[in-house]
Amino acid sequence: DGPSSVPAVLEQAITERRVVRLGYVDAAGAETERDVEPVSFTGGERNWYLMGWCRLRGDSRVFRIDRVRRATLLDEKAPDRPFDDLCTAPPEYVVRPLEFV
């Protein structure tokens, strides 16, 4: 079995409440590796985003899915971080938490 796609790993991280390690490229093209406690997906006009707690920055962050180069599911359970406690999304984002049933 080959590696799972980035969106599939992120979905699994959210549904199983597990920390995920991202290889993430910012708008300037710099790549960092960071562990993220994922909370939800959200969609914008043109992109999908992952909202969560970034352990590298020690704060909530919004990550563009197309800038995630690698996603590895870790064994660690993510602590409970309610959606409402995350940073306010920029006004151009349409924030709609997904509910998995």
Side-chain angles (χ1 to χ4, degrees), residues 13-48:
I14 290 172
T15 58
E16 295 179 9
R17 299 189 33 131
R18 288 170 53 189
V19 178
V20 64
R21 181 163 292 148
L22 304 181
Y24 187 75
V25 176
D26 67 17
E31 184 169 346
T32 56
E33 184 173 273
R34 50 183 81 204
D35 291 351
V36 175
E37 301 166 12
V39 175
S40 71
F41 286 117
T42 186
E45 291 277 326
R46 298 184 180 115
N47 297 297
W48 280 96

Side-chain angles (χ1 to χ4, degrees), residues 19-101:
V19 178
V20 64
R21 181 163 292 148
L22 304 181
Y24 187 75
V25 176
D26 67 17
E31 184 169 346
T32 56
E33 184 173 273
R34 50 183 81 204
D35 291 351
V36 175
E37 301 166 12
V39 175
S40 71
F41 286 117
T42 186
E45 291 277 326
R46 298 184 180 115
N47 297 297
W48 280 96
Y49 300 87
L50 171 70
M51 297 181 78
W53 184 264
C54 176
R55 292 183 173 176
L56 177 68
R57 302 293 184 224
D59 200 0
S60 58
R61 290 289 190 265
V62 180
F63 302 95
R64 270 184 41 180
I65 302 298
D66 64 329
R67 291 187 181 160
V68 177
R69 298 296 181 247
R70 293 175 311 287
T72 304
L73 196 61
L74 304 181
D75 291 332
E76 181 184 355
K77 287 285 187 184
D80 185 26
R81 293 198 187 267
F83 179 81
D84 293 337
D85 289 351
L86 295 179
C87 64
T88 303
E92 65 270 16
Y93 293 174
V94 177
V95 179
R96 293 186 194 107
L98 295 178
E99 292 185 22
F100 296 97
V101 290

